[in-house]
Amino acid sequence: GYIGLEMTEALRERGIAVTLVEMADQVFIPADREMVAPLHQQLQLQGVDLRLNNAVSGIAQASDGLTVSLKDGGTVDCGLVILAIGVKPETSLASDAGLALGERGIAVDAHMRTSDPSIYAVGDAVEVTHFVGGNQTAIPLAGPANRQGRIAADNIFGRPSTYAKTQGTAICKVFDLAIGMTGLSEKELVRLGMDYEKVYVHPASHAGYYPGAAPMNLKLLFDLATGKVLGAQA
């Protein structure tokens, strides 16, 4: 995810050897795998030991640091382990308080109120409605969390304010590349059973006759019948 990739870059910039272990077959899970393939190449070009389709099964103290055991039976000796493996929101406090939970987090209305009108919830722990798909989901990003906090504060102090769903727009720098996306990915469209078509284009970042143009990979997902844009990745 974002934190794992950003820490990998920061440590490599300081000349520290990095092994990046990812349980899935790709990094930057929200995007589609073919759009992430250049990131895998970039990580390896920058000297990162990338271990996809693997997972950490244990961490043990060693005489000169730590030994990390991997699911495939391998081990990695290291001096520091960073766990950036958030999978689901921590909702035990809400559950203990008797608040309603959805499949993806704490259930809230458009005013960020929980099932108890005296209690508000915002940020990574709440379930949101996707702006494009209309489905309930969890999208742990700083921008929506910040906006939700302001909306909750407005309502607490008597100013009617509503949250207008989450589109999931995000971007992450990975060494010499940047990957960004908005809306629904192809794998999410498949999971939701939505009809779509897709197109790939590979333009330059600006007019080719001006120096410094770099190639871009763009993927656009859309509804063929209406032309509605469903998602984009770059």
Side-chain angles (χ1 to χ4, degrees):
Y2 306 92
I3 295 171
L5 291 169
E6 289 166 356
M7 288 306 303
T8 295
E9 178 178 350
L11 292 168
R12 287 299 298 137
E13 291 288 344
R14 296 181 67 87
I16 298 170
V18 176
T19 298
L20 181 59
V21 181
E22 170 56 56
M23 187 165 63
D25 63 354
Q26 68 172 83
V27 299
F28 202 77
I29 302 297
D32 293 319
R33 194 181 191 284
E34 77 277 17
M35 296 300 293
V36 174
L39 295 189
H40 298 160
Q41 183 181 36
Q42 178 69 198
L43 288 164
Q44 291 168 333
L45 283 171
Q46 298 292 339
V48 176
D49 182 4
L50 181 60
R51 310 282 188 98
L52 299 175
N53 293 305
N54 213 331
V56 173
S57 58
I59 302 172
Q61 191 76 45
S63 59
D64 56 349
L66 300 167
T67 296
V68 177
S69 300
L70 302 180
K71 188 178 179 181
D72 67 358
T75 59
V76 178
D77 295 323
C78 58
L80 173 69
V81 174
I82 296 173
L83 301 177
I85 52 174
V87 176
K88 59 183 180 179
E90 169 54 82
T91 57
S92 57
L93 178 63
S95 178
D96 292 345
L99 302 180
L101 301 178
E103 289 185 11
R104 300 297 187 93
I106 303 168
V108 293
D109 64 13
H111 302 286
M112 308 312 300
R113 277 192 298 253
T114 67
S115 56
D116 183 329
S118 299
I119 301 176
Y120 292 75
V122 304
D124 294 359
V126 304
E127 184 179 74
V128 297
T129 302
H130 199 286
F131 181 78
V132 179
N135 54 301
Q136 295 301 108
T137 187
I139 303 179
L141 294 171
N146 186 292
R147 191 170 295 112
Q148 290 163 8
R150 294 169 184 266
I151 288 169
D154 279 348
N155 286 291
I156 289 168
F157 284 95
R159 179 192 295 168
S161 186
T162 57
Y163 183 67
K165 306 178 184 178
T166 300
Q167 189 166 312
T169 304
I171 189 165
C172 185
K173 176 180 175 290
V174 184
F175 296 101
D176 295 334
L177 297 180
I179 183 167
M181 66 177 299
T182 191
L184 293 169
S185 64
E186 183 174 4
K187 57 191 171 187
E188 274 294 289
L189 288 167
V190 171
R191 188 182 68 81
L192 294 170
M194 296 176 64
D195 291 329
Y196 70 92
E197 189 53 82
K198 61 185 176 181
V199 62
Y200 299 91
V201 292
H202 307 280
S205 56
H206 58 248
Y209 54 76
Y210 187 81
M216 297 174 63
N217 299 325
L218 301 176
K219 178 180 184 178
L220 185 72
L221 297 145
F222 59 97
D223 185 316
L224 189 59
T226 65
K228 178 184 176 182
V229 174
L230 303 173
Q233 298 169 46

